[in-house]
Amino acid sequence: MSPRTSITLLSVGHSCVDVYQGAVAALVPFLVAERGYGYAAVSGVVLAASLLSSVAQPLFGALTDRWPLPWLLPVSTVLGGVGIALCGVGDSYGLTLAWVALSGVGVAAYHPESARVARLVAGSGGSGHRGMAWFSLGGNLGFAAAPLLVAAVVGLGGLRLTPLLVLPALAGVALCLPVLRELARRRAAGAGAVSRPGRDDRASFVKLSFAVVCRSIVFTGLSTFLSLYATQRIGGGTAAGTAALVVLYAGGAVGSVLGGALAERWGRVAVARWSYLVATVAVAGVLVVPGPALYLCVALTSAGLYVPFSLQVTLGQDYLPSRIGTASGITLGLTVSIGGLASPLIGGLADATSLRTALVPLVVMPLLSWALFRTLPEPVAPEAGREVD
């Protein structure tokens, strides 16, 4: 199997997993409409998906640094799908939280090992950046497809039809198995190259992690409440909110691929730094620009937040070369999902004031990411990746 084929399969499989991260936010309007949840209640659902995921991701990353766990890819994909599939069954708020939390654990288990495998397949240097960009693109497309998938299923038949949402997980399992078989074949044939890892730059890795946390807060805050906010500002019912989420997620498809290309010319740190400045202005525009122009600001926000996305994963791996799984779990997982921890604060402030007022602090987050990236060096990528399967 060629590296391009392996990356393609991993990328599509990644989309099948990340559709369940996007599905949580996409389910919010339907939970409000069918069950009468308030802002704080729906933000609690997002928190349930994020909390266990945030705690579990670095643990899974540390485990994959010590032992190869390729079976995590299909198992975690199934867990992510089953949790979302069952969250609409019954009316219990507690069970809804439990099923969404199970999905979050599945997502947490998937990302560290899948990022290790993807970097191994993609290689290092410019080709590695491009390969990881395509791998990240799959996840972003999964996010983008989630509102459409949820609208098509739940919008037609209500929350009782959420069991149908398990289908992407089954497809994801089928896609990852050939890649795992190929890696096992290469290992048996002695084709798994090994290189001595470079020296860890823990200070830079910590700064990078804080920058991605800030990105996570603004992205998760917007993805949780954007559909409700767009409905209030523009009207048009849930269709306007779904369209805003699609724009937010779909912009990531362009941003991820563009980030890999731009990094080859100007470097990952510089590209990420300028992207966060664009995101700062765009998030402010979301809150002040009237009418349908809101969608343009959402698109610019998406590009500004997604261009650095895959670059941050490879930066983390290069800052922490002796702990690739941990670095992947944090940059691709923990700091992405941890933004959900801020959602209840935003929801509570929205209940006390207004949704627009509650979203104002999000403008500061990409600016903080920009400031942190100003202090980061551009690391030298290793010549070869270590065997991870």
Side-chain angles (χ1 to χ4, degrees), residues 49 57 73 83 101 105 109 130 136 189 280 285 345 348 354 365 378 383:
Q57 297 244 20
L73 270 66
V105 171
R130 288 193 300 272
S136 299
T280 300
L345 299 178
S354 69
M365 294 297 107
E378 181 72 39
E383 291 300 321

Side-chain angles (χ1 to χ4, degrees), residues 50-284:
S50 303
L51 185 58
L52 283 179
S53 180
S54 299
V55 174
Q57 297 244 20
L59 297 179
F60 282 113
L63 285 174
T64 57
D65 278 329
R66 298 193 63 180
W67 300 287
L69 301 174
W71 53 265
L72 273 180
L73 270 66
V75 171
S76 60
T77 300
V78 170
L79 289 178
V82 168
I84 293 299
L86 296 177
C87 74
V89 177
D91 295 326
S92 169
Y93 183 69
L95 281 178
T96 299
L97 296 180
W99 289 125
V100 170
L102 176 66
S103 178
V105 171
V107 171
Y110 175 84
H111 282 100
E113 183 74 354
S114 65
R116 284 170 57 106
V117 171
R119 187 68 187 272
L120 174 68
V121 171
S124 302
S127 61
H129 303 334
R130 288 193 300 272
M132 288 300 294
W134 285 106
F135 173 70
S136 299
L137 170 64
N140 299 335
L141 289 176
F143 263 109
L148 299 176
L149 180 63
V150 170
V153 175
V154 183
L156 292 178
L159 292 171
R160 63 184 179 84
L161 292 186
T162 56
L164 294 177
L165 297 177
V166 77
L167 294 178
L170 302 180
V173 171
L175 289 165
C176 76
L177 291 178
V179 179
L180 298 184
R181 285 196 295 267
E182 174 65 14
L183 289 176
R185 185 198 65 77
R186 289 174 54 186
R187 185 181 184 188
V194 178
S195 68
R196 184 180 300 276
R199 179 176 298 178
D200 291 343
D201 184 353
R202 296 182 181 180
S204 293
F205 182 77
V206 169
K207 294 176 184 177
L208 173 70
S209 299
F210 278 119
V212 187
V213 166
C214 293
R215 179 213 180 265
S216 176
I217 291 173
V218 63
F219 180 79
T220 306
L222 284 177
S223 63
T224 302
F225 297 106
L226 181 61
S227 59
L228 297 174
Y229 178 73
T231 301
Q232 293 177 5
R233 290 292 302 277
I234 300 175
T238 58
T242 298
L245 271 184
V246 170
V247 173
L248 179 66
Y249 295 160
V254 178
S256 293
V257 176
L258 183 62
L262 293 176
E264 291 183 29
R265 182 169 184 179
W266 287 293
R268 291 168 288 179
V269 172
V271 169
R273 188 167 61 238
W274 283 103
S275 297
Y276 280 125
L277 277 183
V278 171
T280 300
V281 176
V283 174

